[in-house]
Amino acid sequence: MTKTYNRSRKLKPTKSNRSLSEWAIIFLNENSEYASSSILNDFRKLGHSQRPELEKCAVHVLADQRLRRNEKLRSGAVRLIVALLPKTFPVLEKLLSDSSMSLWYEVHFTVFSALDRGDLSKADQRHVLTLVERYLRNAKSESGFAAWKAGDILGDEWYAPETIQILERLLSSARYVVGRNAALHGIQHAMNKATLSEKEHLLSLVRQAASEDQSAKVRDYAAYTLTDGGCSRSRTA
């Protein structure tokens, strides 16, 4: 059965949302905390004319400074865009490349929180990993823990041999301290999942960062990681 959101439900009109359909705003608000699979299930129940309208609404919310301040609306818009991958990759890439809009770090953190490897094809997973690596290679700011969350994806939630390779590259190639520390954070998580030989390799990378990185902040954080700091649990059986 096709699901149609109630168009009679009233929201207080504002200058920013007057041009948006009330049912679309309600959909985004009600799906602000759900996983992509749940959002996609509701999306597919919408009428065919409603689907593109809802997608445009999500893009509009994130482009509008006033609407973007609404946490539930912002989160619902981001989560819908993630749920509609791979179609929305161009929108996602634009969002992740923008660190000038207000609350950009909240948008980025929500993107990384919403990404679920199981929802994507192998090819789309590789595309996401390319975007995450590019993001951390150029990340400048710690705001909103967005870079930290990207490190979580690589070392924990999406842990795999290819994500370890990405962390290894970022530890030496990320342009700024934030990106290299995020790579260390990801490695902390990865060591909880790695085999003994993989742990030794990761530890060798951390030791190298602790002694050779050009930034004292990175060296200190690497040294902290070596003493079981942060997210790394005991390495003994």
Side-chain angles (χ1 to χ4, degrees):
M1 179 182 292
T2 299
K3 183 173 183 177
T4 303
Y5 270 72
N6 189 347
R7 295 173 182 268
S8 66
R9 292 175 63 176
K10 299 299 181 181
L11 296 175
K12 183 178 179 181
T14 68
K15 182 178 180 180
S16 294
N17 70 18
R18 257 179 224 139
S19 62
L20 302 179
S21 297
E22 291 181 357
W23 68 265
I25 294 176
I26 291 167
F27 183 105
L28 296 178
N29 278 324
E30 291 183 349
N31 285 279
S32 63
E33 297 181 0
Y34 291 125
S36 292
S37 56
S38 176
I39 295 171
L40 198 56
N41 185 53
D42 275 358
F43 181 81
R44 287 169 175 162
K45 294 176 183 177
L46 295 173
H48 289 294
S49 63
Q50 289 180 299
R51 296 177 190 180
E53 184 178 352
L54 180 60
E55 186 178 341
K56 289 178 183 177
C57 176
V59 172
H60 182 81
V61 164
L62 296 175
D64 186 284
Q65 183 174 354
R66 182 176 297 181
L67 290 172
R68 200 165 55 242
R69 291 186 191 133
N70 184 313
E71 182 178 358
K72 289 186 69 175
L73 197 56
R74 181 181 69 243
S75 179
V78 172
R79 288 180 178 277
L80 177 68
I81 288 168
V82 171
L84 294 179
L85 291 174
K87 179 186 177 184
T88 49
F89 265 128
V91 179
L92 187 67
E93 292 182 31
K94 184 176 180 180
L95 287 175
L96 290 179
S97 66
D98 188 350
S99 296
S100 60
M101 64 177 172
S102 61
L103 297 172
W104 64 266
Y105 45 88
E106 297 289 354
V107 171
H108 295 179
F109 184 92
T110 304
V111 166
F112 296 134
S113 298
L115 287 166
D116 189 330
R117 191 164 200 163
D119 294 330
L120 302 168
S121 70
K122 293 294 184 182
D124 294 334
Q125 291 174 26
R126 288 193 293 271
H127 194 164
V128 167
L129 290 175
T130 298
L131 293 179
V132 174
E133 181 172 7
R134 183 189 307 160
Y135 183 87
L136 287 179
R137 185 180 296 118
N138 297 294
K140 295 181 180 180
S141 173
E142 297 178 343
S143 297
F145 298 98
W148 241 231
K149 188 60 183 175
D152 280 343
I153 287 178
L154 297 174
D156 186 12
E157 296 156 25
W158 285 46
Y159 174 84
E162 60 266 31
T163 65
I164 296 302
Q165 292 172 5
I166 293 171
L167 289 169
E168 181 173 353
R169 289 195 295 269
L170 287 169
L171 191 54
S172 60
S173 68
R175 297 175 61 192
Y176 304 101
V177 167
V178 171
R180 300 198 297 282
N181 274 348
L184 281 168
H185 180 63
I187 287 172
Q188 289 177 349
H189 281 289
M191 285 194 291
N192 295 326
K193 296 174 177 283
T195 64
L196 185 59
S197 61
E198 289 169 340
K199 283 182 182 178
E200 287 305 316
H201 176 64
L202 291 172
L203 284 169
S204 70
L205 298 176
V206 177
R207 291 188 193 100
Q208 184 174 2
S211 62
E212 298 180 8
D213 195 274
Q214 60 185 338
S215 167
K217 289 183 178 180
V218 176
R219 294 195 302 272
D220 288 347
Y221 191 46
Y224 178 61
T225 301
L226 290 172
T227 59
D228 274 339
C231 299
S232 180
R233 295 189 291 267
S234 174
R235 290 188 291 271
T236 59

